[in-house]
Amino acid sequence: MAPHAPTDDLPLAGLKIVDLTRLLPGPLATRHLVQWGAEVLKVEDPGEGDGTRHMLLSAADRAGDRESGLFQHLNDGKTLLRIDLRSEAGRQQLLQMVRDADALVEGFRPGVMDRLGLGWQVLHEANPRLVMCAITGYGQRGPYAHRAGHDINYIALAGVLGQCGPLDGDPVLPNFQIADLMGGTQAALAGLLAGLLGAQRTGRGRFVDISMTRQVWEHHVISRFEARALGAPTRPARGLLSGGSPCYGVYRTADGRHLAVGALELKFWAKLCQVVERPDWVNRHWSLGQRPASGDALSLRADLQAVIATQTLAHWVPLFEAADCCVTPVLRLDEVPQHPWFSG
């Protein structure tokens, strides 16, 4: 897989990044760096390498004896290298790369880089300007630091998974890796860019410690402060933004499709009420004192559902689009590329 030709007008042109990460959070972060102009050198071990090489293989991938589309997407534009970091030759090769690099990203458990003789102190001595970013589930220190985990574990411990699902049922797994992508990919990008800016200004690199669980908790602000305001944690499907308010939720149409209603502000709720021909509902809104999950809120939610269920998705979509009141269709994955927002 050849790297893209460098583009001088991209913001990170001229930066060199060493990528030791696997699977999703780190590789997607460094792919963004490639898209912004950086040169990324992806280092894999001589054996199996990155597990996404064989994850979600399509029939065409198998027939062509090639890596999965997922691996190709995550690593597009990177220079791929195989280095045995457990060998002295491999260690020296990486140190040589680091001396000429701006940043290094790794996703091993805490202590692995030290055992390889490639910990922060060693790399910092080799290149004082280097920014080193470590992405882990639980951070470099603490009782969980050396535990294994995946996205499901991180969002469970951060209090997110327990709020996903119906009121009286089991938690429902989101088909979007919240901790991996927000707590890992995006947090790592923010830390790396801040570190690189600091190194540019001061000449000193730094160690960036990304704990995916910690990042999810830090960003779980709505539910935390809703619990503080109400005096107790919100139950699943009963918060302001999780189904407890009529103005913000998912509604089924007559043909079994769904609308996503995000009329959180009163002005949008008023427009929605006009579309469904119920202007008498306008004043029944959280901003005017309606408490999420109250009897009035749940009753109104049921009434709105009954109205939405009388017509198909195709009937409602143009009406709500004309009203511009934060109501959109819930699209299937195969519909997304054909939708005007995507292709326009």
Side-chain angles (χ1 to χ4, degrees), residues 43-71:
V43 177
E44 298 175 78
D45 63 79
E48 182 179 345
D50 192 332
T52 57
R53 284 181 176 272
H54 310 292
M55 183 181 292
L56 304 176
L57 287 164
S58 68
D61 294 332
R62 296 180 188 279
D65 192 26
R66 64 192 182 210
E67 297 88 357
S68 72
L70 176 62
F71 177 86

Short mmCIF file of all heavy atoms in Angstrom, two decimals, residues 43-71:
data_model
loop_
_atom_site.label_atom_id
_atom_site.label_comp_id
_atom_site.label_asym_id
_atom_site.label_seq_id
_atom_site.Cartn_x
_atom_site.Cartn_y
_atom_site.Cartn_z
N VAL A 43 4.18 0.65 11.81
CA VAL A 43 5.08 -0.46 12.13
C VAL A 43 4.27 -1.63 12.68
O VAL A 43 3.54 -1.49 13.66
CB VAL A 43 6.13 -0.03 13.17
CG1 VAL A 43 7.01 -1.21 13.56
CG2 VAL A 43 6.98 1.12 12.62
N GLU A 44 4.42 -2.80 12.04
CA GLU A 44 3.79 -4.03 12.51
C GLU A 44 4.88 -5.07 12.79
O GLU A 44 5.98 -5.00 12.26
CB GLU A 44 2.84 -4.58 11.46
CG GLU A 44 1.68 -3.66 11.12
CD GLU A 44 0.84 -4.23 9.98
OE1 GLU A 44 0.03 -5.14 10.24
OE2 GLU A 44 1.05 -3.77 8.84
N ASP A 45 4.51 -6.05 13.63
CA ASP A 45 5.46 -7.13 13.88
C ASP A 45 5.55 -8.05 12.67
O ASP A 45 4.68 -8.03 11.80
CB ASP A 45 5.03 -7.93 15.12
CG ASP A 45 3.68 -8.60 14.92
OD1 ASP A 45 3.65 -9.65 14.25
OD2 ASP A 45 2.67 -8.08 15.42
N PRO A 46 6.61 -8.85 12.56
CA PRO A 46 6.79 -9.70 11.37
C PRO A 46 5.77 -10.83 11.26
O PRO A 46 5.68 -11.47 10.21
CB PRO A 46 8.20 -10.27 11.57
CG PRO A 46 8.86 -9.38 12.55
CD PRO A 46 7.77 -8.91 13.46
N GLY A 47 5.02 -11.10 12.31
CA GLY A 47 4.07 -12.21 12.28
C GLY A 47 2.72 -11.82 11.72
O GLY A 47 2.60 -11.39 10.57
N GLU A 48 1.69 -11.95 12.56
CA GLU A 48 0.32 -11.69 12.11
C GLU A 48 0.08 -10.22 11.81
O GLU A 48 -0.69 -9.87 10.93
CB GLU A 48 -0.66 -12.16 13.19
CG GLU A 48 -2.12 -11.96 12.79
CD GLU A 48 -3.07 -12.46 13.86
OE1 GLU A 48 -2.63 -13.19 14.76
OE2 GLU A 48 -4.26 -12.09 13.80
N GLY A 49 0.75 -9.35 12.54
CA GLY A 49 0.56 -7.92 12.31
C GLY A 49 -0.76 -7.42 12.88
O GLY A 49 -1.30 -7.98 13.83
N ASP A 50 -1.25 -6.38 12.30
CA ASP A 50 -2.50 -5.75 12.76
C ASP A 50 -3.67 -6.69 12.54
O ASP A 50 -3.87 -7.21 11.43
CB ASP A 50 -2.72 -4.45 11.97
CG ASP A 50 -3.82 -3.58 12.55
OD1 ASP A 50 -4.75 -4.12 13.17
OD2 ASP A 50 -3.75 -2.36 12.37
N GLY A 51 -4.46 -6.91 13.59
CA GLY A 51 -5.58 -7.84 13.51
C GLY A 51 -6.64 -7.46 12.51
O GLY A 51 -7.40 -8.33 12.04
N THR A 52 -6.72 -6.18 12.14
CA THR A 52 -7.74 -5.80 11.16
C THR A 52 -7.41 -6.28 9.75
O THR A 52 -8.25 -6.19 8.86
CB THR A 52 -7.96 -4.27 11.13
OG1 THR A 52 -6.72 -3.62 10.85
CG2 THR A 52 -8.53 -3.78 12.45
N ARG A 53 -6.19 -6.78 9.54
CA ARG A 53 -5.87 -7.36 8.23
C ARG A 53 -6.85 -8.47 7.87
O ARG A 53 -7.19 -8.68 6.70
CB ARG A 53 -4.45 -7.93 8.22
CG ARG A 53 -3.35 -6.89 8.13
CD ARG A 53 -1.97 -7.52 8.11
NE ARG A 53 -0.92 -6.54 7.92
CZ ARG A 53 -0.47 -6.13 6.73
NH1 ARG A 53 -0.99 -6.65 5.63
NH2 ARG A 53 0.48 -5.23 6.64
N HIS A 54 -7.33 -9.19 8.89
CA HIS A 54 -8.19 -10.35 8.65
C HIS A 54 -9.58 -10.18 9.25
O HIS A 54 -10.34 -11.14 9.35
CB HIS A 54 -7.53 -11.60 9.23
CG HIS A 54 -6.10 -11.76 8.82
ND1 HIS A 54 -5.73 -12.04 7.53
CD2 HIS A 54 -4.95 -11.65 9.53
CE1 HIS A 54 -4.41 -12.11 7.45
NE2 HIS A 54 -3.91 -11.88 8.65
N MET A 55 -9.93 -8.96 9.65
CA MET A 55 -11.23 -8.71 10.26
C MET A 55 -12.23 -8.25 9.21
O MET A 55 -11.94 -7.36 8.40
CB MET A 55 -11.08 -7.62 11.35
CG MET A 55 -12.37 -7.33 12.11
SD MET A 55 -12.12 -6.02 13.35
CE MET A 55 -11.03 -6.86 14.51
N LEU A 56 -13.41 -8.86 9.21
CA LEU A 56 -14.50 -8.49 8.30
C LEU A 56 -14.09 -8.63 6.83
O LEU A 56 -14.38 -7.78 5.99
CB LEU A 56 -14.98 -7.06 8.57
CG LEU A 56 -15.44 -6.78 10.01
CD1 LEU A 56 -15.79 -5.32 10.20
CD2 LEU A 56 -16.63 -7.66 10.38
N LEU A 57 -13.41 -9.72 6.52
CA LEU A 57 -13.04 -9.98 5.14
C LEU A 57 -14.27 -10.22 4.29
O LEU A 57 -15.17 -10.97 4.66
CB LEU A 57 -12.13 -11.21 5.07
CG LEU A 57 -10.69 -11.06 5.56
CD1 LEU A 57 -10.06 -12.43 5.77
CD2 LEU A 57 -9.87 -10.23 4.57
N SER A 58 -14.33 -9.59 3.13
CA SER A 58 -15.42 -9.83 2.19
C SER A 58 -15.06 -11.01 1.30
O SER A 58 -13.92 -11.49 1.29
CB SER A 58 -15.64 -8.59 1.32
OG SER A 58 -14.53 -8.39 0.46
N ALA A 59 -16.03 -11.48 0.54
CA ALA A 59 -15.77 -12.57 -0.39
C ALA A 59 -14.72 -12.15 -1.41
O ALA A 59 -13.85 -12.94 -1.80
CB ALA A 59 -17.07 -12.98 -1.09
N ALA A 60 -14.78 -10.89 -1.84
CA ALA A 60 -13.81 -10.40 -2.82
C ALA A 60 -12.41 -10.33 -2.19
O ALA A 60 -11.41 -10.63 -2.86
CB ALA A 60 -14.22 -9.02 -3.32
N ASP A 61 -12.34 -9.96 -0.92
CA ASP A 61 -11.04 -9.93 -0.24
C ASP A 61 -10.43 -11.32 -0.19
O ASP A 61 -9.24 -11.51 -0.46
CB ASP A 61 -11.20 -9.40 1.19
CG ASP A 61 -11.62 -7.95 1.24
OD1 ASP A 61 -11.30 -7.20 0.29
OD2 ASP A 61 -12.27 -7.55 2.23
N ARG A 62 -11.26 -12.31 0.18
CA ARG A 62 -10.77 -13.68 0.26
C ARG A 62 -10.34 -14.20 -1.11
O ARG A 62 -9.29 -14.84 -1.24
CB ARG A 62 -11.85 -14.59 0.87
CG ARG A 62 -12.20 -14.24 2.31
CD ARG A 62 -13.27 -15.19 2.84
NE ARG A 62 -13.77 -14.76 4.14
CZ ARG A 62 -13.16 -14.99 5.30
NH1 ARG A 62 -12.02 -15.65 5.31
NH2 ARG A 62 -13.68 -14.56 6.44
N ALA A 63 -11.16 -13.91 -2.12
CA ALA A 63 -10.84 -14.39 -3.47
C ALA A 63 -9.55 -13.76 -3.99
O ALA A 63 -8.77 -14.40 -4.70
CB ALA A 63 -12.00 -14.08 -4.42
N GLY A 64 -9.31 -12.51 -3.61
CA GLY A 64 -8.11 -11.82 -4.07
C GLY A 64 -6.93 -11.98 -3.16
O GLY A 64 -5.86 -11.40 -3.41
N ASP A 65 -7.11 -12.76 -2.07
CA ASP A 65 -6.04 -13.01 -1.11
C ASP A 65 -5.40 -11.69 -0.65
O ASP A 65 -4.19 -11.50 -0.69
CB ASP A 65 -4.97 -13.92 -1.72
CG ASP A 65 -3.99 -14.44 -0.65
OD1 ASP A 65 -4.39 -14.51 0.52
OD2 ASP A 65 -2.83 -14.74 -1.00
N ARG A 66 -6.27 -10.78 -0.19
CA ARG A 66 -5.79 -9.46 0.22
C ARG A 66 -6.33 -9.11 1.60
O ARG A 66 -7.21 -9.79 2.13
CB ARG A 66 -6.24 -8.41 -0.78
CG ARG A 66 -7.74 -8.25 -0.87
CD ARG A 66 -8.16 -7.41 -2.06
NE ARG A 66 -9.59 -7.22 -2.11
CZ ARG A 66 -10.29 -7.06 -3.23
NH1 ARG A 66 -9.67 -7.08 -4.41
NH2 ARG A 66 -11.60 -6.86 -3.18
N GLU A 67 -5.79 -8.05 2.15
CA GLU A 67 -6.26 -7.58 3.45
C GLU A 67 -7.70 -7.11 3.35
O GLU A 67 -8.20 -6.80 2.27
CB GLU A 67 -5.38 -6.43 3.95
CG GLU A 67 -3.94 -6.78 4.21
CD GLU A 67 -3.08 -6.62 2.98
OE1 GLU A 67 -3.62 -6.28 1.91
OE2 GLU A 67 -1.86 -6.84 3.09
N SER A 68 -8.35 -7.05 4.50
CA SER A 68 -9.75 -6.62 4.53
C SER A 68 -9.88 -5.17 4.09
O SER A 68 -8.94 -4.37 4.18
CB SER A 68 -10.30 -6.76 5.95
OG SER A 68 -9.74 -5.77 6.80
N GLY A 69 -11.08 -4.84 3.64
CA GLY A 69 -11.36 -3.46 3.28
C GLY A 69 -11.19 -2.53 4.47
O GLY A 69 -10.79 -1.37 4.32
N LEU A 70 -11.49 -3.03 5.67
CA LEU A 70 -11.32 -2.24 6.88
C LEU A 70 -9.86 -1.86 7.08
O LEU A 70 -9.54 -0.69 7.35
CB LEU A 70 -11.84 -3.01 8.10
CG LEU A 70 -11.64 -2.35 9.46
CD1 LEU A 70 -12.38 -1.02 9.54
CD2 LEU A 70 -12.07 -3.29 10.58
N PHE A 71 -8.97 -2.84 6.96
CA PHE A 71 -7.53 -2.56 7.12
C PHE A 71 -7.07 -1.56 6.06
O PHE A 71 -6.32 -0.62 6.36
CB PHE A 71 -6.73 -3.85 7.01
CG PHE A 71 -5.25 -3.64 7.09
CD1 PHE A 71 -4.60 -3.57 8.32
CD2 PHE A 71 -4.48 -3.49 5.93
CE1 PHE A 71 -3.23 -3.36 8.40
CE2 PHE A 71 -3.12 -3.27 6.01
CZ PHE A 71 -2.49 -3.21 7.24
#
